[in-house]
Amino acid sequence: MPKKLKQVPKFANESQERSFWESHDTADYFDLSKAARVRFPNLKPSTTAISLRLPVSLLEQIKIAANKRDVPYQSLIKMWLAEKVG
């Protein structure tokens, strides 16, 4: 016999909803066996900060190249790496 699902209450705000789900199991409210996988193709990929040691002269050359293109130097480095790897 299928489990009777509970009705999800109405929430006044996101904080109230967050508190509710922190103390309740979604399995009591949704039939997760019918869940479908979804994709969100327009989300920004997560990034990770790294430390990269460069000679001062090379960094200055990169900054000059970035300034000529009117982009931040870190963005230019990412663009160059993406072009080279991809």
Side-chain angles (χ1 to χ4, degrees):
M1 178 167 180
K3 182 178 175 180
K4 176 98 170 130
L5 298 176
K6 297 178 183 178
Q7 188 73 19
V8 178
K10 301 285 185 209
F11 303 105
N13 54 48
E14 188 175 328
S15 177
Q16 191 181 64
E17 182 175 2
R18 185 179 304 111
S19 295
F20 176 83
W21 290 117
E22 286 174 352
S23 60
H24 292 78
D25 187 354
T26 55
D28 294 334
Y29 296 86
F30 301 100
D31 183 359
L32 299 177
S33 68
K34 296 179 182 174
R37 183 174 299 272
V38 297
R39 293 190 47 138
F40 299 101
N42 296 326
L43 294 179
K44 288 179 90 173
S46 59
T47 60
T48 300
I50 64 166
S51 176
L52 178 65
R53 298 189 185 281
L54 298 174
V56 173
S57 61
L58 176 58
L59 181 57
E60 290 303 317
Q61 290 174 345
I62 293 170
K63 287 182 177 182
I64 290 168
N67 191 29
K68 288 179 182 177
R69 291 167 175 81
D70 196 29
V71 297
Y73 77 94
Q74 291 174 329
S75 296
L76 183 60
I77 292 171
K78 287 187 270 188
M79 289 176 3
W80 285 345
L81 288 171
E83 288 173 5
K84 197 66 173 174
V85 173

